[in-house]
């Protein structure tokens, strides 16, 4: 092995903006092109709006205007405005901000002095202007580099801050904002900050009932009992039960949507189950108490500890942790000279105490809902026990036949693993491809990244979960093995793969298998979809090539463009199945440039209505839908030119 000459010349110091651009994942998570609501372009919107939300939380500014036009974002709040001499520092110096001082921002979301700087560095253009008492201070940047700045007097503007930016296409590629995702973000802000009006592209969003409005909007089916809404100092919860499977609970910290949960969501789930068990004086299993629950929790914490910069997972153990100060405001030190830390109650005990007291009181005051609630718990218990026996027998049979090892080609690192920092990214990238047949699974297995990509091979078509009973589904070998592979038999926290990718052929059978797999997830594991774990793999429909070059095309438009580009002697092949694509070709389709379509639930449709339309009886409406979207055989055939 050649010896590397390691000298002082190898040691480099990057400018703050160069570091952010080189390692954007540290600051905004994934990049993405806007197809997924966790893509970085939405995190950038959130980072700027969070600053305005924090102003409102401190009692300044009751309206925020957000506009996205031609993928350029602008945010105007009417808070105090950044101190005029600090506008450049606040956007140009990393770890500089007003939120290190909890006197100015007691329970804010942004605490690290990073958010606005990250948006600045990752934008092709970034402009900020602060208005204070008839004066303003402004600065303009390109990709984090200050281009100009200045001051104005005699400004006829209300106090506050204006920011506009355009995410850099050098980093994000051909991105597009999905305004539905942004609308959901604005609604969530309004639910959590009563009295605040957010005007998004001219439409105002304001909530009078807080989280109760959020849960009522999420309810697409009649709940078993009216939602319970409980509020206290620094906490607000809502809960009810429906007849669907799984849990649908939104969680928030200081107005931040923690879609990945954390200590507060775990405490909510634990407290609900414990309180119901104590109330009924029965040793019900926690999963039976929570089956079909729809709810939300929001808490306020001083200086929350998030486990990533995107603030989607709360890691705080305590409601607050800060240096203890004496009556003169001087930090108290212990005998060893170390500063004494004042810790509040744990997040777990704070939420448990609140729910156990107030939910118990509510149930005693509304005895009419008690029989309905217990009937739901008992029904869940009975079904779970019956299904558990069936699944155990099925798994034992499969284990003896060694079927499991034949169907799953596993990877080395998993989403649920407690991985060291050096391998954490492998866990985040962990994926499982659900394929049909040995040919496709064999092709993907040959070219996959064995560190973080697993392959599960289906045999034929799975059972239609919508039409069959849960008992019948539990007896199904294919789906039992899939559940085992995913690791979600007992709890979603054991999910082994961050990305569940359905990879089926682009023909009638492939589309049908795709729908059957998605129906299984929608009915029994809808939270996997809500949390953004389920995707459809896009594979090329056409190969366009001549003697000099080859282009892979995912649509008719791409095919037309490729024909025009390659011009003479073009041969076009229509791929009907994944098995038709050679391993050498397939390696590009599941690598860094892999195209994935996230599976999202339509905000205006219930899961049951979606499944009824696509997987229920063959109605006239569905027949008309198929006719409108039917493509001719000629379009699907191989073409030679």
């Amino acid at each position: 092995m050649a010896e590397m000459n390691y000298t002082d010349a190898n040691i480099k110091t990057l400018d703050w903006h160069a570091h952010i651009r080189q390692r954007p994942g540290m600051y905004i998570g994934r990049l993405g092109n806007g197809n997924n609501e966790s893509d970085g372009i939405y995190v950038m919107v959130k980072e700027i709006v969070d600053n305005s939300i924090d102003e409102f939380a401190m009692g300044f500014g009751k309206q925020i205007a957000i506009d996205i036009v031609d993928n350029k974002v602008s945010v105007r709040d009417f808070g105090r405005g950044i101190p005029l001499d600090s506008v450049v520092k606040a956007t140009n110096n990393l770890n500089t901000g007003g939120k290190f001082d909890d006197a100015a921002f007691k329970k804010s979301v942004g605490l690290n002095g990073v958010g606005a700087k990250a948006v600045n560095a990752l934008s092709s253009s970034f402009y900020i202007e602060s208005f204070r008492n008839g004066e303003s201070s402004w600065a303009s940047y390109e990709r984090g580099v200050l281009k100009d700045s200045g001051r104005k007097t005699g400004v006829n503007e209300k106090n506050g801050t204006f920011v506009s930016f355009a995410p850099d296409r050098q980093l994000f590629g051909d991105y597009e904002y999905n305004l539905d995702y942004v609308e959901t973000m604005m609604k969530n802000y309004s639910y959590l900050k009563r009295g605040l009006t957010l005007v998004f592209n001219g439409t105002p969003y304001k909530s009078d009932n807080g989280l109760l409005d959020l849960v009522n909007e999420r309810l697409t089916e009649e709940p078993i009992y009216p939602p319970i809404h409980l509020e206290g100092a620094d906490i607000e919860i809502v809960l009810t039960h429906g007849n669907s499977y799984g849990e649908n609970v939104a969680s928030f910290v200081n107005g931040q949507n923690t879609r990945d949960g954390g200590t507060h969501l775990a405490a909510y789930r634990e407290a609900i189950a414990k309180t119901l068990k104590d109330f009924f004086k029965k040793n019900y299993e926690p999963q039976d108490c929570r089956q079909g629950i729809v709810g939300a929790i929001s808490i306020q914490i001083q200086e929350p500890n998030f486990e990533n910069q995107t603030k989607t997972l709360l890691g705080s153990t305590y409601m607050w942790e800060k240096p203890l100060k004496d009556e003169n405001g001087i930090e108290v030190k212990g005998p060893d000279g170390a500063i004494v830390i004042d810790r509040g109650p744990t997040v777990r005990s704070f939420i448990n105490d609140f729910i156990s007291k107030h939910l118990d009181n509510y149930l005693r005051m509304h005895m009419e809902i008690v029989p309905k609630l217990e009937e739901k718990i008992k029904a869940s218990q009975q079904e779970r026990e019956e299904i558990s026996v069936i699944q155990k027998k099925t798994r034992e049979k499969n284990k003896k036949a060694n079927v499991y090892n034949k169907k799953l080609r596993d990877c080395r690192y998993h989403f649920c693993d407690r991985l060291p920092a050096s391998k954490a990214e492998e866990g985040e990238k962990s994926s499982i491809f659900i394929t049909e047949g040995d040919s496709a699974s064999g092709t993907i297995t040959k070219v996959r990244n064995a560190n973080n990509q697993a392959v599960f091979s289906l045999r034929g078509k799975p059972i239609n979960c919508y039409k069959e009973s849960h008992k019948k589904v539990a007896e199904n070998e294919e789906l039992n093995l899939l559940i085992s592979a995913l690791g979600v038999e007992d709890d979603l926290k054991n999910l082994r793969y961050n990305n569940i990718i359905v990879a089926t052929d682009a023909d009638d059978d492939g589309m049908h298998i795709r729908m059957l797999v998605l129906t299984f997830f929608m009915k029994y594991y809808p939270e996997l979809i809500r949390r953004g774990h389920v995707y459809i793999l896009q594979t090329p429909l056409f190969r366009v090539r001549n003697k000099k070059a080859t282009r892979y095309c995912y649509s008719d438009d791409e095919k037309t463009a490729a024909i025009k580009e390659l011009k003479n002697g073009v041969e076009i092949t229509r791929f009907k199945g994944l098995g038709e694509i050679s391993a050498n070709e397939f390696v590009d389709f599941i690598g860094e440039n892999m195209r994935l379509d996230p599976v999202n639930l339509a905000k205006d449709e219930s899961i049951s209505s979606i499944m009824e339309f696509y997987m229920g009886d063959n109605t006239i409406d569905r027949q008309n839908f198929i006719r409108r979207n039917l493509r001719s055989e000629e379009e699907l055939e191989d073409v030679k030119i």
Side-chain angles (χ1 to χ4, degrees):
M1 182 177 177
E3 182 178 344
M4 180 179 175
N5 190 19
Y6 181 51
T7 69
D8 290 329
N10 297 107
I11 307 300
K12 300 182 184 300
T13 300
L14 296 175
D15 289 334
W16 68 270
H17 48 81
H19 182 268
I20 293 174
R21 291 177 66 82
Q22 189 166 316
R23 298 284 187 270
M26 293 175 59
Y27 301 92
I28 62 166
R30 57 191 288 164
L31 285 173
N33 62 1
N35 283 340
N36 191 295
E37 60 185 334
S38 62
D39 285 349
I41 62 173
Y42 302 108
V43 177
M44 292 167 74
V45 174
K46 182 186 68 62
E47 289 288 355
I48 299 302
V49 176
D50 279 348
N51 293 332
S52 301
I53 294 290
D54 289 338
E55 281 292 310
F56 170 79
M58 292 301 295
F60 302 94
K62 294 184 178 181
Q63 181 172 306
I64 304 170
I66 304 98
D67 291 285
I68 300 180
V69 179
D70 295 332
N71 292 310
K72 185 171 184 178
V73 181
S74 64
V75 179
R76 172 70 158 101
D77 70 41
F78 299 91
R80 291 166 290 185
I82 301 170
L84 299 185
D85 289 338
S86 299
V87 168
V88 173
K89 287 192 294 183
T91 49
N92 197 42
N93 295 355
L94 210 56
N95 301 320
T96 301
K99 297 172 188 176
F100 300 103
D101 176 9
D102 66 6
F105 293 91
K106 292 182 180 178
K107 292 172 183 175
S108 67
V109 175
L111 294 170
N112 302 316
V114 171
K117 269 75 76 176
V119 178
N120 184 358
L122 300 174
S123 297
S124 55
S125 63
F126 181 94
Y127 178 86
I128 184 167
E129 187 166 5
S130 175
F131 305 97
R132 278 193 158 197
N133 304 320
E135 295 184 75
S136 77
S137 178
W138 60 273
S140 63
Y141 299 83
E142 291 180 7
R143 300 181 173 90
V145 178
L146 180 65
K147 292 299 182 181
D148 203 359
S149 63
R151 297 280 290 266
K152 299 176 185 176
T153 58
V155 177
N156 186 23
E157 285 276 354
K158 292 182 179 179
N159 286 1
T161 304
F162 172 81
V163 175
S164 69
F165 66 91
D168 190 359
R169 293 192 182 277
Q170 287 183 6
L171 297 170
F172 295 93
D174 189 20
Y175 68 86
E176 186 79 28
Y177 275 104
N178 183 326
L179 299 186
D180 286 343
Y181 293 158
V182 184
E183 179 188 17
T184 298
M185 186 191 304
M186 298 306 133
K187 285 182 177 180
N188 286 342
Y189 278 128
S190 71
Y191 299 139
L192 295 159
K193 302 296 179 183
R194 274 180 280 186
L196 173 65
T197 299
L198 298 108
V199 182
F200 174 50
N201 281 358
T203 301
Y205 295 93
K206 186 178 181 181
S207 172
D208 295 323
N209 303 301
L211 288 187
L212 182 60
D213 287 339
L214 181 150
V215 171
N216 279 328
E217 179 167 293
R218 285 191 167 204
L219 286 169
T220 53
E221 296 155 305
E222 191 70 24
I224 292 172
Y225 56 89
I228 299 170
H229 187 200
L230 305 173
E231 295 182 87
D234 294 331
I235 186 170
E236 179 182 3
I237 73 159
V238 180
L239 76 141
T240 186
H241 283 77
N243 287 312
S244 59
Y245 290 89
E247 303 173 28
N248 183 7
V249 181
S251 64
F252 303 87
V253 175
N254 295 7
Q256 165 64 32
N257 182 3
T258 45
R259 64 174 178 272
D260 294 324
T263 51
H264 59 320
L265 180 57
Y268 172 97
R269 298 175 71 238
E270 175 189 328
I272 295 297
K274 182 178 183 300
T275 302
L276 293 179
K277 287 166 63 177
D278 291 346
F279 180 85
F280 291 114
K281 296 181 173 58
K282 303 276 182 65
N283 192 29
Y284 291 128
E285 288 294 320
Q287 59 262 48
D288 297 325
C289 295
R290 298 192 300 259
Q291 183 68 273
I293 194 171
V294 182
I297 177 171
S298 172
I299 62 172
Q300 303 289 319
I301 295 181
Q302 287 196 26
E303 300 195 13
N305 172 31
F306 295 101
E307 295 195 2
N308 49 23
Q309 171 59 24
T310 54
K311 309 181 186 80
T312 57
L313 180 65
L314 180 69
S316 295
T317 302
Y318 298 94
M319 292 297 289
W320 68 79
E321 287 184 275
K322 57 185 179 181
L324 181 65
K325 296 182 180 179
D326 62 20
E327 62 274 11
N328 298 315
I330 299 173
E331 294 178 348
V332 177
K333 295 184 178 180
D336 59 353
I339 296 173
V340 177
I341 301 299
D342 171 24
R343 291 187 173 92
T346 66
V347 171
R348 181 171 178 263
S349 65
F350 174 76
I351 294 173
N352 264 283
D353 291 348
F354 176 83
I355 291 179
S356 62
K357 176 182 177 181
H358 293 278
L359 178 56
D360 183 88
N361 289 343
Y362 186 95
L363 293 175
R364 295 184 189 283
M365 293 174 63
H366 298 81
M367 292 299 292
E368 71 278 4
I369 74 173
V370 171
K372 300 175 184 177
L373 181 53
E374 187 165 28
E375 183 182 350
K376 168 66 178 176
I377 295 172
K378 287 180 176 179
S380 297
Q381 179 186 42
Q382 181 178 349
E383 184 179 56
R384 178 183 54 79
E385 289 172 349
E386 291 175 354
I387 299 305
S388 179
V389 172
I390 295 170
Q391 289 179 333
K392 185 177 180 181
K393 289 180 179 178
T394 305
R395 285 172 191 149
E396 285 177 354
K397 182 184 73 173
N398 291 334
K399 189 174 181 180
K400 289 178 183 177
N402 201 27
V403 176
Y404 184 78
N405 291 332
K406 295 176 183 177
K407 298 186 73 64
L408 176 69
R409 297 292 180 265
D410 209 354
C411 54
R412 295 187 181 92
Y413 304 107
H414 300 99
F415 187 52
C416 59
D417 293 344
R418 305 289 292 184
L419 295 170
S422 61
K423 297 296 182 183
E425 190 175 353
E426 299 286 0
E428 286 294 317
K429 289 182 176 180
S430 61
S431 305
I432 182 169
F433 294 94
I434 302 174
T435 68
E436 50 171 316
D438 295 334
S439 178
S441 63
T443 300
I444 296 179
T445 300
K446 287 179 184 176
V447 299
R448 68 181 174 133
N449 181 336
N451 280 336
N452 52 46
Q453 291 181 328
V455 183
F456 183 89
S457 177
L458 292 170
R459 186 186 64 217
K461 293 184 179 180
I463 191 172
N464 184 345
C465 297
Y466 180 66
K467 289 187 173 182
E468 299 291 350
S469 67
H470 197 177
K471 180 179 178 181
K472 189 77 172 177
V473 173
E475 293 171 343
N476 183 265
E477 177 184 287
E478 295 290 301
L479 296 180
N480 254 296
L481 291 168
L482 178 57
I483 293 170
S484 295
L486 296 176
V488 294
E489 299 101 320
D490 301 317
D491 200 308
L492 291 188
K493 70 180 181 181
N494 299 321
L495 178 65
R496 302 176 74 234
Y497 310 97
N498 191 18
N499 307 305
I500 302 168
I501 303 170
V502 183
T504 58
D505 291 343
D507 58 13
D508 291 346
D509 282 344
M511 294 299 116
H512 192 208
I513 292 172
R514 176 189 297 181
M515 288 301 301
L516 291 168
V517 173
L518 294 182
T519 299
F520 167 68
F521 286 129
M522 283 195 290
K523 186 165 184 179
Y524 296 112
Y525 296 96
E527 196 64 9
L528 291 176
I529 296 177
R530 292 191 185 102
R531 293 184 187 179
H533 291 298
V534 184
Y535 297 86
I536 302 296
L537 176 67
Q538 283 190 38
T539 51
L541 296 175
F542 306 97
R543 180 179 60 212
V544 180
R545 65 183 177 185
N546 60 17
K547 293 181 179 180
K548 295 182 178 179
T550 300
R551 299 288 183 266
Y552 297 99
C553 309
Y554 292 75
S555 67
D556 286 331
D557 289 343
E558 290 187 17
K559 179 186 71 173
T560 301
I563 294 171
K564 190 176 294 185
E565 177 192 354
L566 299 184
K567 297 177 182 176
N568 299 324
V570 172
E571 176 191 84
I572 304 171
T573 301
R574 196 331 182 147
F575 294 120
K576 292 184 177 180
L578 302 184
E580 293 182 0
I581 305 175
S582 69
N584 290 336
E585 292 176 297
F586 213 99
V587 67
D588 293 329
F589 310 142
I590 62 170
E592 289 297 321
N593 298 319
M594 177 166 53
R595 297 195 194 184
L596 296 176
D597 289 330
V599 178
N600 298 312
L601 294 173
K603 61 182 179 181
D604 297 325
E605 290 187 287
S606 68
I607 288 177
S608 60
S609 65
I610 293 171
M611 290 192 294
E612 172 62 32
F613 181 80
Y614 288 104
M615 306 306 292
D617 293 333
N618 192 11
T619 63
I620 293 297
D621 287 342
R622 190 165 75 187
Q623 290 175 27
N624 290 335
F625 173 82
I626 292 171
R627 290 189 185 100
R628 287 196 304 270
N629 293 276
L630 191 65
R631 302 181 70 183
S632 68
E633 283 296 318
E634 287 77 9
E635 291 179 282
L636 302 177
E637 286 299 317
D638 291 359
V639 180
K640 302 284 184 181
I641 296 181

